[in-house]
Amino acid sequence: MNREEALELIRTRRSTRAYSQKPVENELLEQILEAGRYAPSGGNSQTTHFIVIENREVLSKLAELAAQEFSKMEVTPGMYRSMANSINRSKAGGYVFHYNAPVLILTANQADYSNNIADCSCALENMMIMANALDLGTCWINQLKWLNENEIITEYLRELGLEENEKVYASLAVGYPQAELNRTPLMRTGNKVTRIL
Amino acid sequence: MNREEALELIRTRRSTRAYSQKPVENELLEQILEAGRYAPSGGNSQTTHFIVIENREVLSKLAELAAQEFSKMEVTPGMYRSMANSINRSKAGGYVFHYNAPVLILTANQADYSNNIADCSCALENMMIMANALDLGTCWINQLKWLNENEIITEYLRELGLEENEKVYASLAVGYPQAELNRTPLMRTGNKVTRIL
């Protein structure tokens, strides 16, 4: 494969936060899931569980429950900014955590497995890159991770197939962007590199 | 970019555990690091710190210190298998945790930042994919994460540039493989997919 194209595919992955309601073709979604499943896992455990929600009623119900549960929480000093936003917007009403994307892919893993977050994260990165190759937009969603100790959310996710001992560690919104897909690489000013030669 | 090539690049990434001592060309290493730096980060924080070790004496010293510290630890019931292996092999003597790869890239992040593991993991996945495009082998290295509370290791990493409040969450061995690069996709039997249509 062309090396420059590989780097470009990685560099041009951007977050999409406004989605068209056009459904994602099944063939493309299958390719995204295959990319996710081929992420590495600690000791080749392959315990990442992909729960793929395309049903609009389920997505709405999940968004409502999340807003309901966030609105019961309080913003505390030093809280992660996006989490504070989720709480504040839920209290204000009408908060939809997945940007109304037509597809939401939850990645769950064993709660007692030390590589759970790492494995789910690698799966998400692969899926984001593959979606970019397919002209689809994605956005990393942390909200269900923040609620992964919440009983009401957990109970609903169990109905959807979340297994005993599994928790959601990362989720991915997927869909066609409302406007043209933004592929302008965002400048890196952080992410320092120290070389020891 | 060609969609099939993108999926193939992702599917053919495999772990390499035996490295040639041939140095990695600087231009290629820069491309791998760029791929890592272009991984997404929570709230676009860009706090992942890449510490790239190519100096053989530093690599040897780090491997010696890690073996020394692992050999002081005890294997406990239910311990993550690879970690138990690191301890047992360190006690046996001659353990080199980074498979003697000529390059080791440490990804560190802020200890009090809730997306630290996730961000480092996305950076590693990007670097693994990019290395595959460059015909280089890689292997995820967890050992320095397991030792990231260890004072002796931390003190040495501080000399190398690890900053206050930073911890290593994932590392990557990089180099040319001793034999031909294995690109046969490893069958996925786990990584279950549940569709909610």
Side-chain angles (χ1 to χ4, degrees):
Chain A
M1 135 166 283
N2 186 303
R3 294 160 173 207
E4 282 68 33
E5 281 181 347
L7 189 53
E8 207 50 22
L9 183 65
I10 287 171
R11 280 169 45 90
T12 58
R13 175 219 51 79
R14 290 289 301 275
S15 295
T16 294
R17 295 189 175 85
Y19 291 91
S20 142
Q21 288 313 300
K22 179 182 170 188
V24 176
E25 294 83 347
N26 190 58
E27 184 197 347
L28 307 192
L29 195 49
E30 294 278 1
Q31 289 181 20
I32 290 169
L33 290 166
E34 187 165 5
R37 295 184 74 223
Y38 273 86
S41 56
N44 191 30
S45 56
Q46 301 188 20
T47 50
T48 302
H49 179 189
F50 299 78
I51 301 174
V52 187
I53 311 175
E54 294 165 85
N55 182 298
R56 276 171 189 252
E57 284 172 28
V58 172
L59 282 172
S60 294
K61 173 83 174 168
L62 191 56
E64 273 167 35
L65 285 178
Q68 171 195 301
E69 295 310 299
F70 277 126
S71 69
K72 294 176 186 170
M73 296 164 69
E74 296 302 330
V75 173
T76 53
M79 179 179 268
Y80 188 61
R81 197 183 53 195
S82 309
M83 190 170 177
N85 284 343
S86 291
I87 295 172
N88 286 330
R89 293 181 60 190
S90 293
K91 286 181 192 291
Y95 177 58
V96 177
F97 74 91
H98 69 288
Y99 304 106
N100 283 304
V103 182
L104 184 66
I105 303 175
L106 282 48
T107 59
N109 217 317
Q110 303 293 308
D112 59 358
Y113 163 54
S114 61
N115 259 55
N116 45 26
I117 297 174
D119 286 5
C120 288
S121 301
C122 288
L124 248 75
E125 186 59 24
N126 273 4
M127 294 193 288
M128 288 188 274
I129 291 172
M130 191 63 215
N132 189 29
L134 298 172
D135 302 319
L136 283 158
T138 55
C139 191
W140 182 295
I141 301 289
N142 256 334
Q143 279 76 358
L144 295 177
K145 179 190 169 208
W146 297 332
L147 293 170
N148 76 10
E149 304 280 350
N150 179 289
E151 287 181 15
I152 288 167
I153 298 293
T154 300
E155 190 184 342
Y156 186 57
L157 294 180
R158 293 263 182 258
E159 290 177 27
L160 301 180
L162 184 74
E163 293 175 20
E164 271 299 307
N165 197 30
E166 286 184 349
K167 283 183 192 296
V168 172
Y169 292 102
S171 309
L172 189 68
V174 182
Y176 286 97
Q178 226 169 53
E180 203 179 338
L181 193 59
N182 179 7
R183 283 204 172 97
T184 309
L186 188 70
M187 191 162 62
R188 262 48 181 174
T189 49
N191 290 347
K192 183 177 166 181
V193 176
T194 302
R195 299 280 292 266
I196 315 286
L197 298 166
Chain B
M1 131 166 290
N2 185 302
R3 294 160 174 208
E4 283 67 31
E5 281 181 348
L7 189 54
E8 208 48 22
L9 183 66
I10 286 171
R11 278 170 46 92
T12 59
R13 175 220 53 78
R14 289 289 301 274
S15 294
T16 294
R17 295 189 175 85
Y19 292 91
S20 143
Q21 289 312 299
K22 180 183 169 189
V24 176
E25 294 84 347
N26 191 59
E27 185 195 346
L28 305 192
L29 195 49
E30 294 278 1
Q31 289 180 19
I32 291 169
L33 290 166
E34 187 165 4
R37 295 183 74 223
Y38 273 86
S41 56
N44 190 29
S45 56
Q46 299 187 21
T47 50
T48 303
H49 180 189
F50 299 77
I51 300 175
V52 187
I53 311 177
E54 294 165 86
N55 183 297
R56 277 171 187 251
E57 286 172 26
V58 172
L59 281 172
S60 296
K61 174 83 175 167
L62 191 56
E64 275 168 34
L65 286 178
Q68 171 193 303
E69 296 308 300
F70 276 126
S71 69
K72 294 177 187 169
M73 296 164 69
E74 296 302 330
V75 173
T76 53
M79 180 180 267
Y80 187 61
R81 197 182 52 194
S82 309
M83 190 171 174
N85 283 344
S86 291
I87 294 171
N88 287 330
R89 295 181 59 188
S90 293
K91 286 181 193 292
Y95 178 57
V96 177
F97 74 90
H98 69 289
Y99 303 105
N100 284 304
V103 183
L104 184 67
I105 302 175
L106 283 49
T107 59
N109 217 317
Q110 304 291 308
D112 59 358
Y113 163 56
S114 60
N115 259 53
N116 46 28
I117 298 175
D119 287 5
C120 288
S121 302
C122 288
L124 248 75
E125 185 61 23
N126 274 3
M127 293 193 290
M128 288 187 275
I129 290 172
M130 191 63 215
N132 189 28
L134 298 171
D135 302 319
L136 282 158
T138 55
C139 191
W140 182 294
I141 302 289
N142 256 335
Q143 280 75 358
L144 295 176
K145 179 190 169 208
W146 297 331
L147 293 170
N148 76 10
E149 304 278 351
N150 179 287
E151 287 182 15
I152 288 165
I153 298 293
T154 300
E155 191 185 341
Y156 187 55
L157 294 179
R158 294 260 181 259
E159 289 176 29
L160 301 180
L162 183 74
E163 292 175 21
E164 271 300 307
N165 197 31
E166 285 183 348
K167 283 184 193 296
V168 174
Y169 291 102
S171 308
L172 189 69
V174 183
Y176 287 98
Q178 227 168 53
E180 204 179 339
L181 192 60
N182 178 6
R183 284 206 173 96
T184 309
L186 189 70
M187 191 163 60
R188 262 49 182 173
T189 50
N191 290 348
K192 182 177 167 181
V193 175
T194 302
R195 300 280 293 264
I196 315 286
L197 297 166

